[in-house]
Amino acid sequence: MHKHMVEVEIHKNLAKLIQTLSHYEVEDIDVTHQSLEEIFMQYYGGEHHGE
């Protein structure tokens, strides 16, 4: 059972996230990537269905 779980969405400054996480005891990180369709729709102003 997870005591604390945080979900974040990073667009640019991954280094800042890593710097911030270095102050905590992180047990696991799960990374997911956007599909090509999601990237295309975000770039061209389509609806973002993930929100």
Side-chain angles (χ1 to χ4, degrees), residues 3 5-6 8 10-12 15-17 28 34 36 38-39 41-42 45 49-51:
K3 290 182 180 181
M5 183 174 189
V6 176
V8 297
I10 303 297
H11 294 277
K12 292 189 179 191
K16 181 67 175 173
L17 173 65
D28 189 23
Q34 289 180 302
L36 181 58
E38 290 170 322
I39 294 168
M41 295 303 283
Q42 187 176 21
H49 297 286
E51 294 182 16

Side-chain angles (χ1 to χ4, degrees), residues 1-45:
M1 185 169 150
H2 300 291
K3 290 182 180 181
H4 303 282
M5 183 174 189
V6 176
E7 184 174 328
V8 297
E9 185 173 318
I10 303 297
H11 294 277
K12 292 189 179 191
N13 198 348
L14 183 60
K16 181 67 175 173
L17 173 65
I18 300 300
Q19 180 183 18
T20 302
L21 290 176
S22 72
H23 299 284
Y24 300 92
E25 190 174 318
V26 178
E27 293 180 8
D28 189 23
I29 294 179
D30 186 18
V31 177
T32 58
H33 300 275
Q34 289 180 302
S35 70
L36 181 58
E37 179 183 8
E38 290 170 322
I39 294 168
F40 182 87
M41 295 303 283
Q42 187 176 21
Y43 183 80
Y44 289 105

